[in-house]
Amino acid sequence: MKKLLLIPLVGLGLQATTLTQLFDAVQKAPETQINEVITKNMKINKESVKSALFPKISINASIEHYNRDMSLVPLTPTESKKEQLNKNSLPFGQNIAKVGIGLSVPIFVKEIYENKKKMEDLVNAVKLKSKIDLLKRDALLIGLLSNFSYLENSKMALKSKQFSIKETIKSIKTGVDAGAIPEFNLIRLQDALTQIDIKISDIETKINSIKSEIYKLTNIVVDYPMNITFTNYQKDDFFALQPIEWTIKADEKNVDAQKAVRWYPKLFLKANISKGYVKSYNTDDIDERNIANIGLYLQWNIFDKVANKDIQKAKIALIKDRLNLIKTQKDLTAEANKFTYDLVLIKKEIVSAKKSIKLKKELLKSAKIAFSNQAMTVDEYLGYETDLSNAKATLAGLDAQLKETVANLVFIYGNDFKSIFKEQK
């Protein structure tokens, strides 16, 4: 088992009582909240694209100085002549100030529509990626809890071995004191107890590391292992493919959007209302005039090399994600086949391991009698003790492997961990 960083956990976090609490804690962890923020940000980006379809209203103002008298507003010859006859101020001067309101409405901008569709697909992809991350953490939790149980059962197997050896020491102590049994046997058994203590301490260190990892994942301290059971998982399409499929759809929309930039015209409705002020050159009075305009404006890029490159980049991204889908499909198929086959083998091994433990218990009983009668050496006897202890640890390890394998399949098929894994009281 991979050795983890030892972190003391005394007094930290909360005490978990159920597996459901731990699943809920994983869902509320900062990692999940970060994914939720990313999803919200993507939704905002989608709304930003949609907002580009709405009219834009702006206030504009300017003060300009010219080196010669300029017209504030255009005047026809008739208007100019009329103003001069009436000796009115003419809207000409070197300093012109304007203030107004502008309106711009996109009538047809195809890339906005394509980008809107693309963002909708990307939001779906991000949501699914967030769910996949949550499933990964659920699978990790099951793996940690399974290894916790394995280590605890291995420790109990060693303690059982320790107790058995102590009982044997009691049974031969009189014989050793009387000189009927060599003192070497007693010393050898006592040394075996010391070695067991060392192994138990090593397991305790590993258990503490497992607790640390569970705390990192859930912010909850788990002091005792949980008896976890599971029901049948549901075979379905590979869940990890779904965000890639949505990303591919977004890539296709992106190609269309880049083509729209290059090939499609843009049509806008624009209007502007403004009031201008100028110090008339002929009267020195402030002349103010209103002017308004509205019109349709067409923009069509006949040649845009940058846009051509953007189309190529979008196509390459699409090809890359399609290849990624094929690769991921292949990898997940291989993993699903492996875990399914492993599941069958582990279940068979568990049946054999249980039978082996029964046989080794009987062998140990006989070995104890033979050793007490000096028909067996101390090391031969200790071998039977070790065999039984190792068989118990092997069974615990197989049980942990079984749960981890099921957890991997639950993750691959995107099942709900809460509905599959339960805590048996």
Side-chain angles (χ1 to χ4, degrees):
M1 179 179 291
K2 183 179 178 182
K3 188 153 184 170
L4 304 174
L5 178 65
L6 179 63
I7 299 177
L9 296 175
V10 178
L12 293 178
L14 303 172
Q15 177 61 47
T17 57
T18 66
L19 180 61
T20 301
Q21 279 183 302
L22 293 176
F23 280 133
D24 290 341
V26 170
Q27 196 162 11
K28 296 173 183 176
E31 293 84 354
T32 304
Q33 295 177 28
I34 289 171
N35 284 333
E36 289 175 356
V37 170
I38 293 173
T39 302
K40 287 180 181 177
N41 184 61
M42 187 60 69
K43 289 180 179 179
I44 291 172
N45 290 338
K46 183 185 79 171
E47 294 301 318
S48 296
V49 173
K50 289 172 63 176
S51 297
L53 296 171
F54 286 81
K56 293 180 181 178
I57 300 174
S58 59
I59 296 175
N60 50 75
S62 64
I63 298 177
E64 300 171 302
H65 173 76
Y66 298 90
N67 64 348
R68 58 174 296 177
D69 293 324
M70 298 293 293
S71 175
L72 176 62
V73 293
L75 290 180
T76 64
T78 302
E79 289 176 320
S80 179
K81 186 177 180 179
K82 182 179 179 180
E83 295 288 351
Q84 288 177 345
L85 289 174
N86 293 330
K87 295 182 180 181
N88 293 332
S89 299
L90 293 174
F92 289 87
Q94 287 185 284
N95 298 305
I96 295 177
K98 291 181 181 179
V99 62
I101 297 177
L103 173 70
S104 177
V105 182
I107 302 299
F108 178 79
V109 183
K110 186 172 174 59
E111 63 259 35
I112 295 179
Y113 295 97
E114 297 301 334
N115 283 325
K116 175 175 170 289
K117 296 175 185 175
K118 178 185 76 174
M119 293 306 299
E120 289 172 353
D121 293 338
L122 287 176
V123 167
N124 289 329
V126 169
K127 285 181 181 178
L128 290 166
K129 286 178 182 177
S130 178
K131 186 175 180 181
I132 287 173
D133 287 341
L134 179 59
L135 289 173
K136 280 182 181 177
R137 291 191 290 277
D138 285 342
L140 177 58
L141 175 63
I142 293 299
L144 290 170
L145 292 173
S146 298
N147 283 311
F148 189 180
S149 295
Y150 159 68
L151 290 171
E152 193 67 32
N153 286 325
S154 296
K155 184 176 74 172
M156 295 307 297
L158 287 172
K159 286 188 173 182
S160 177
K161 176 183 175 182
Q162 196 175 51
F163 177 79
S164 179
I165 293 174
K166 287 179 179 179
E167 291 295 310
T168 301
I169 289 175
K170 288 180 182 178
S171 68
I172 68 169
K173 189 76 166 56
T174 303
V176 172
D177 292 341
I181 298 176
E183 187 179 4
F184 168 80
N185 288 354
L186 180 60
I187 295 172
R188 183 70 182 85
L189 293 176
Q190 290 173 337
D191 177 64
L193 292 178
T194 301
Q195 296 302 315
I196 291 173
D197 284 334
I198 293 172
K199 290 180 180 178
I200 288 175
S201 295
D202 181 60
I203 289 177
E204 290 283 4
T205 299
K206 293 177 180 178
I207 288 174
N208 199 59
S209 297
I210 291 288
K211 290 180 181 180
S212 172
E213 293 302 308
I214 294 174
Y215 179 79
K216 289 178 185 177
L217 195 62
T218 64
N219 196 37
I220 293 175
V221 174
V222 179
D223 286 327
Y224 305 100
M226 293 181 177
N227 184 17
I228 298 174
T229 61
F230 58 87
T231 56
N232 291 331
Y233 60 91
Q234 182 66 43
K235 283 190 175 183
D236 206 340
D237 295 333
F238 298 139
F239 192 73
L241 297 180
Q242 294 185 27
I244 303 176
E245 290 169 347
W246 280 106
T247 302
I248 288 173
K249 291 179 181 179
D251 288 339
E252 291 170 347
K253 305 294 191 311
N254 190 42
V255 171
D256 292 338
Q258 298 305 324
K259 286 181 178 179
V261 173
R262 174 65 181 86
W263 298 110
Y264 285 82
K266 301 174 185 177
L267 184 63
F268 295 89
L269 172 69
K270 294 183 179 181
N272 190 71
I273 301 173
S274 64
K275 179 182 283 291
Y277 303 88
V278 65
K279 188 176 182 180
S280 177
Y281 79 97
N282 65 325
T283 64
D284 283 339
D285 293 333
I286 299 299
D287 194 342
E288 59 181 68
R289 302 291 176 107
N290 296 326
I291 188 169
N293 70 294
I294 186 169
L296 288 173
Y297 298 86
L298 179 71
Q299 179 185 336
W300 198 343
N301 296 329
I302 303 301
F303 177 76
D304 187 343
K305 193 168 184 178
V306 174
N308 288 337
K309 296 298 180 182
D310 289 339
I311 293 172
Q312 293 176 21
K313 290 178 183 179
K315 288 181 177 179
I316 290 172
L318 174 59
I319 293 170
K320 179 183 176 182
D321 284 329
R322 282 175 174 170
L323 291 173
N324 185 36
L325 179 67
I326 295 171
K327 178 184 179 302
T328 306
Q329 171 84 44
K330 175 175 64 69
D331 292 345
L332 289 174
T333 300
E335 288 183 10
N337 290 340
K338 175 187 178 301
F339 289 132
T340 302
Y341 184 64
D342 286 349
L343 209 57
V344 176
L345 293 180
I346 293 170
K347 287 179 179 179
K348 289 181 179 179
E349 288 180 42
I350 287 175
V351 173
S352 299
K354 289 179 178 178
K355 291 179 180 178
S356 177
I357 289 173
K358 288 182 180 179
L359 293 173
K360 291 184 187 302
K361 283 180 178 179
E362 294 300 319
L363 289 171
L364 180 59
K365 289 179 183 178
S366 299
K368 278 178 174 285
I369 295 171
F371 175 64
S372 297
N373 295 329
Q374 299 190 63
M376 180 181 290
T377 68
V378 64
D379 286 312
E380 287 175 331
Y381 157 68
L382 286 175
Y384 285 99
E385 290 280 9
T386 300
D387 284 347
L388 178 58
S389 177
N390 288 344
K392 290 178 179 178
T394 297
L395 178 60
L398 289 170
D399 184 68
Q401 288 180 37
L402 180 67
K403 292 182 176 67
E404 287 186 89
T405 302
V406 172
N408 282 320
L409 287 167
V410 171
F411 167 72
I412 287 174
Y413 293 116
N415 292 176
D416 179 26
F417 274 81
K418 277 187 180 180
S419 64
I420 304 295
F421 290 93
K422 304 290 182 181
E423 183 184 1
Q424 187 174 14
K425 296 292 185 181

